[in-house]
Amino acid sequence: LNFACPYCGDSTDSVRKKRGNLYWNNLQFHCYNCSAHESLDIFLKDHDQNFEGDDRIDVLNYIKDTFGRVLSCDFEFRMDKTITIPRKVVCACYEDIFTGEKFEFWEHDKPTKFGSHFDFTNHLVVTYQATAEIGCFLNLNHVLPNNIFDCFIETRRLYMDKRSKGKFSLLDTAQYYGLLDVMTKDDKNKTRDLIINNTSYTPEQRREILDYCMEDVMITSKVFTEIVKDVEQKNKLKTNEDYDREL
């Protein structure tokens, strides 16, 4: 978009001079007369114009526009004897955080093979304690995602000095944000025991495990949204450059 630059008034001498340029692909303003260069957010604020409400350019919108999909992800699995490495992946579930699309993959009865649930090249994968998901990708011989957002790490970065030791589980964080419509710890333990203590599952148990996994995914999606808002506010992120640096 080409127009007269409001910083230097380059059309004062001639209305044909319009050397201010707004580039929609990266939301940047640049004047080829005075060399003013600002993000759209700052440009609007400099001239007493602001996006408000849903129209505001914030870090969530920036993330949405930067990646092909933003996928909340969770795996269910049985651990090896060291209780550190996934020995058998049971299933994986995903939710597209911005479209609400949901995807289920039952892996327990399948041979491991090179592949991937998605082409992760331009996707952002959102997890809670990503080491578990990375271990599962490796166990399945799947390609690792290029971009991972670990809500556990970001929660500790935000609140390490404000929470009691051990209060960093997914449920603890969900409850901290007031997301009260989440499963109880007893419910989690019941299904977790089902996964750990069996090597085969009935169709009913398979459905229970997939539903359990998807519920964790949906909780992670909600927690991600709240964490991103907190990161933006705490670190005073205002421009695309700020967002890009933080990501």
Side-chain angles (χ1 to χ4, degrees):
L1 181 62
N2 177 252
F3 50 91
C5 173
Y7 289 101
C8 66
D10 66 344
S11 61
T12 303
D13 298 330
S14 172
V15 294
R16 293 183 180 181
K17 293 181 180 179
K18 297 179 180 180
R19 288 172 286 192
N21 292 268
L22 184 60
Y23 296 95
W24 293 113
N25 63 332
N26 60 4
L27 299 179
Q28 299 287 312
F29 171 83
H30 184 80
C31 175
Y32 288 95
N33 183 51
C34 67
S35 298
H37 186 91
E38 299 290 354
S39 69
L40 179 57
D41 248 2
I42 298 299
F43 174 80
L44 293 173
K45 289 175 182 176
D46 283 350
H47 300 91
D48 299 320
Q49 300 293 323
N50 290 294
F51 280 141
E52 297 294 341
D54 293 338
D55 292 328
R56 183 177 176 274
I57 299 174
D58 58 14
V59 68
L60 277 173
N61 286 326
Y62 183 79
I63 290 172
K64 179 182 177 181
D65 293 339
T66 298
F67 298 99
R69 284 187 183 273
V70 180
L71 295 165
S72 178
C73 168
D74 187 48
F75 283 80
E76 302 305 331
F77 53 90
R78 296 194 297 273
M79 301 290 278
D80 69 354
K81 292 181 180 180
T82 67
I83 317 180
T84 57
I85 301 172
R87 177 170 58 87
K88 180 63 178 178
V89 176
V90 176
C91 69
C93 289
Y94 301 82
E95 180 184 35
D96 188 310
I97 291 175
F98 292 106
T99 70
E101 293 173 271
K102 296 177 176 60
F103 308 89
E104 298 177 344
F105 297 90
W106 184 259
E107 297 288 351
H108 186 265
D109 306 318
K110 297 179 182 178
T112 58
K113 59 181 181 180
F114 291 102
S116 183
H117 294 140
F118 296 89
D119 179 358
F120 288 117
T121 304
N122 193 39
H123 293 348
L124 175 65
V125 172
V126 177
T127 72
Y128 204 93
Q129 292 192 321
T131 51
E133 276 62 52
I134 291 172
C136 288
F137 284 124
L138 293 174
N139 180 273
L140 292 173
N141 292 323
H142 281 196
V143 177
L144 291 177
N146 290 347
N147 310 291
I148 297 177
F149 185 105
D150 190 339
C151 292
F152 172 72
I153 296 298
E154 295 303 323
T155 300
R156 289 178 67 88
R157 191 161 71 105
L158 285 166
Y159 301 113
M160 188 66 180
D161 59 340
K162 297 180 177 64
R163 289 198 197 173
S164 302
K165 184 177 180 181
K167 286 293 185 180
F168 287 95
S169 72
L170 175 59
L171 289 188
D172 288 329
T173 301
Q175 290 167 358
Y176 173 84
Y177 283 119
L179 305 173
L180 302 179
D181 55 335
V182 299
M183 70 181 82
T184 66
K185 290 185 178 180
D186 287 342
D187 291 335
K188 284 185 71 70
N189 290 337
K190 173 178 173 293
T191 308
R192 186 178 294 147
D193 289 344
L194 169 65
I195 296 167
I196 293 172
N197 297 325
N198 292 276
T199 56
S200 63
Y201 308 98
T202 67
E204 292 77 15
Q205 290 172 329
R206 170 174 167 167
R207 185 69 263 161
E208 179 182 344
I209 292 168
L210 283 167
D211 289 345
Y212 164 84
C213 186
M214 185 59 76
E215 187 163 0
D216 264 1
V217 167
M218 294 167 65
I219 295 170
T220 301
S221 295
K222 295 176 181 178
V223 166
F224 166 77
T225 300
E226 297 303 322
I227 288 174
V228 168
K229 292 176 182 176
D230 269 3
V231 169
E232 179 178 13
Q233 182 177 14
K234 185 172 182 178
N235 295 330
K236 299 179 181 179
L237 308 181
K238 297 180 180 179
T239 69
N240 284 357
E241 289 86 351
D242 293 340
Y243 304 154
D244 190 59
R245 183 181 64 253
E246 186 67 20
L247 285 175

